[in-house]
Amino acid sequence: MIAKNSQLQFIDCGTNLRRPQYTDISVTCGTKSIGLAILICPAIYTGYNESLLILNHVMNGPACKGTLDQSVIPPVVRFEFPLNTTNSCGSLFRTTSAPGTGIFSDFSDLQTVNISGLVRSYDPTTGPVTYNTELKYYYSCSYPLEYLINNTQIDTSASSIAVKDNNGTFISTLSLNLFSDDDYISPLIIPKQGLELRTEIYTRVQATNLTSHYHVFLDQCYASVSPQPDSDNSTIFNLFVPCNVDPFTVIKENGESQRACFSFPAFRFTEQPNEMMSTYFLHCITRLCEESTCSTLKQCNNRRRRSAVPEIVDGVTGYTTISSTPITIRAERVVAIKEQETASDNSDTSTGLGVAVGFLAFLCIVVIIMAAVFYRTLNH
């Protein structure tokens, strides 16, 4: 069947010129935007066109208006808006929480950001009654902030993680960078022979492409010889964990802006005793928090482990682990080994010399005794 839209364009609806159904809307939860596609023919059958379908009561925003797409069968009206609270066309953002599982089981909760809203029909009827059915199309997308290795793209120069479109994986991009100065300006350049022990390493985790009301909060940062953060067979060294900071680690900023900064002196793992260089990776378990809730996360007396009952936490997202490029430390023990070998050689030389001197002294005594005996024999 043929229908007309608001511009008096003919639309080939076929068998889709019918009453609306719950399946008339499809939702695409992307990494940068949410896309809605609503079958237009059932809406036309009810008395509406694409201009009368309003997203979250936003009637004057050009970016929030639906556009007719007749290149698909059946034709649809499309809405698309970015994942940002400032221009998400009135969508509602809500954070929920549940106990962490798997590698995050030591944490009290694991949060999910839910973005929801509705497309509602606008009835232009001016009289006291109408014969048009009110249409409401609800949408919802949930975005966990767990960056799984097989769902990420990694830029090894800065270890930036940009999550692929995977049915609603979160949009933000986190990067972990290493610097050589406390202003976090000069990138850390690691020579081929590795860094010297105790070289100060300045670390920054920063979020980009992120709604402005979230701050970066580091829950735990540790070093491991494995490049994979969830390796069970690797020795780890905690730089800091909730409410416990290593004495040599200095936290400059955490949960105060869209970046977190800390520093620590270079060290080496003792489990690599026979290698010329010690190589390891930094892994930081990170989440995002609203400015009003970041201070709560820093209070140790309010933090719990493994909540038994799921709870609703406003303003906090889920956990993700961000990793660094390899950090290589030179094995200065090689110099000490050479010195030990030299000292050993000197010791052997001294021992040999002592034996020779003793032997010569013994010969001298024997000669003296023999000379004395010979002398006495001549006198007799």
Side-chain angles (χ1 to χ4, degrees), residues 11-18 24 37-42 68-78:
I11 301 176
D12 185 7
C13 288
T15 59
N16 289 281
L17 193 62
R18 53 165 175 77
D24 289 346
I38 301 174
L39 298 181
I40 189 59
C41 293
L68 182 63
D69 183 4
Q70 297 190 71
S71 63
V72 295
I73 300 176
V76 297
V77 56
R78 297 189 183 277

Side-chain angles (χ1 to χ4, degrees), residues 216 218 251-262 298:
V216 173
L218 303 182
I251 300 178
K252 181 179 181 180
E253 182 179 357
N254 193 16
E256 301 171 12
S257 67
Q258 292 196 350
R259 73 172 193 172
C261 303
F262 66 94
K298 299 180 181 180

Side-chain angles (χ1 to χ4, degrees), residues 318-346:
Y319 299 93
T320 180
T321 302
I322 180 76
S323 303
S324 73
T325 52
I327 299 176
T328 304
I329 309 300
R330 71 182 65 171
E332 297 180 353
R333 62 177 181 81
V334 174
V335 177
I337 291 176
K338 290 182 179 180
E339 291 176 353
Q340 290 175 0
E341 291 175 351
T342 302
S344 177
D345 294 341
N346 292 335

Side-chain angles (χ1 to χ4, degrees), residues 106-128:
D106 287 339
F107 296 93
S108 60
D109 44 54
L110 187 63
Q111 292 81 12
T112 301
V113 179
N114 181 269
I115 305 174
S116 61
L118 66 90
V119 177
R120 172 181 261 167
S121 60
Y122 172 74
D123 194 342
T125 303
T126 57

Side-chain angles (χ1 to χ4, degrees), residues 200 217-222 237-254 261-265 297-298 300 303:
E200 199 69 17
F217 183 80
L218 303 182
D219 234 311
Q220 177 184 3
C221 285
Y222 61 93
F237 174 72
N238 283 315
L239 296 173
F240 59 88
V241 294
C243 307
N244 188 8
V245 182
D246 180 77
F248 294 100
T249 300
V250 178
I251 300 178
K252 181 179 181 180
E253 182 179 357
N254 193 16
C261 303
F262 66 94
S263 63
F264 64 95
L297 297 178
K298 299 180 181 180
C300 298
R303 306 195 62 167

Side-chain angles (χ1 to χ4, degrees), residues 193-255:
Q193 66 271 23
L195 295 173
E196 293 184 2
L197 288 170
R198 299 182 180 272
T199 299
E200 199 69 17
I201 299 177
Y202 299 90
T203 308
R204 183 187 69 191
V205 176
Q206 187 164 358
T208 57
N209 192 26
L210 177 67
T211 178
S212 58
H213 71 285
Y214 278 112
H215 290 176
V216 173
F217 183 80
L218 303 182
D219 234 311
Q220 177 184 3
C221 285
Y222 61 93
S224 169
V225 295
S226 172
Q228 305 299 335
D230 54 352
S231 177
D232 296 330
N233 300 323
S234 176
T235 303
I236 70 170
F237 174 72
N238 283 315
L239 296 173
F240 59 88
V241 294
C243 307
N244 188 8
V245 182
D246 180 77
F248 294 100
T249 300
V250 178
I251 300 178
K252 181 179 181 180
E253 182 179 357
N254 193 16

